[in-house]
């Protein structure tokens, strides 16, 4: 068994879409990034890569590479899954937490879980996605940004 941890954060700005786990969330601002800046997809990708000691998403898909501009991060996650499986590992489960005060995400959690589970080739029961606020504190509380954490178990 091997455990991996992933973290990601992006700025929230006007004129961008907010995409989380492949779900477009209706909100007046979105996450700034080279790709679609899907913090959930990025944190989960880093968790599974980390568990396999295969580096990180930024090394695999550099933000200096025009090929990955506005990339669908769920496609990048699927590529990471392929790498992890090719290295001889099976993904057992993933648990992720998105941190942001606004927008409220409860209504979208089910669809995010289904999307992430599909990319991980897992039953939805093996994928947990949670949303937490930071009660007005820091960049996730004052609307500056959004963050996500994830852990993954491989065998
Ligand atoms: Mg990112």
């Amino acid at each position: 068994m091997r455990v991996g941890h992933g973290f990601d954060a992006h700025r929230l700005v006007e004129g961008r879409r907010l995409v989380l786990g492949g779900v477009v969330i209706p909100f007046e601002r979105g996450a700034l990034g080279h790709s679609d800046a899907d913090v959930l997809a990025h944190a989960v990708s880093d968790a599974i890569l980390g568990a396999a000691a295969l580096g990180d998403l930024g090394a695999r898909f550099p933000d200096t590479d025009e090929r990955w501009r506005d990339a669908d991060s769920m496609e990048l996650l699927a590529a990471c899954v392929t790498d992890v499986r090719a290295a001889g590992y099976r993904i057992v489960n993933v648990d992720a937490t998105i941190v942001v005060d606004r927008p409220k995400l409860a209504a979208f959690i089910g669809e995010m879980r289904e999307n992430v589970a599909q990319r991980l080739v897992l039953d939805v029961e093996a994928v947990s996605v949670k949303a937490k606020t930071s009660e007005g504190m820091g960049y996730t509380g004052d609307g500056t940004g959004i963050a996500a954490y994830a852990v993954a178990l491989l065998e």
Side-chain angles (χ1 to χ4, degrees):
M1 298 286 209
R2 296 176 64 118
V3 68
H5 175 257
F7 166 77
D8 194 43
H10 285 270
R11 231 172 245 287
L12 287 176
V13 298
E14 289 180 2
R16 290 274 301 184
R17 294 189 314 162
L18 180 59
V19 184
L20 294 170
V23 182
V24 180
I25 310 292
F27 191 52
E28 69 263 19
R29 284 170 299 131
L32 182 64
H34 184 69
S35 66
D36 63 5
D38 183 333
V39 287
L40 176 58
H42 293 182
V44 171
S45 296
D46 269 0
I48 64 169
L49 290 175
L54 288 174
D56 66 30
L57 194 66
R60 179 79 168 69
F61 302 104
D63 64 8
T64 50
D65 190 329
E66 282 303 310
R67 276 181 298 169
W68 316 125
R69 181 174 294 283
D70 298 323
D72 176 348
S73 295
M74 296 298 278
E75 299 274 350
L76 307 186
L77 172 60
C80 295
V81 170
T82 300
D83 288 357
V84 164
R85 287 158 72 107
Y89 297 106
R90 183 179 76 85
I91 301 166
V92 178
N93 78 299
V94 166
D95 180 25
T97 303
I98 303 165
V99 187
V100 76
D101 281 26
R102 286 183 57 246
K104 296 299 176 199
L105 299 175
F108 308 101
I109 293 291
E111 192 178 352
M112 290 183 214
R113 286 180 70 201
E114 285 177 19
N115 286 351
V116 172
Q118 184 187 8
R119 298 300 184 159
L120 295 176
V121 199
L122 288 178
D123 290 338
V124 74
E125 291 74 22
V127 176
S128 163
V129 177
K130 311 184 299 299
K132 303 290 284 187
T133 72
S134 54
E135 305 201 336
M137 297 181 288
Y139 68 90
T140 54
D142 67 10
T144 305
I146 184 166
Y149 302 81
V151 289
L153 186 70
L154 309 186
E155 68 175 10

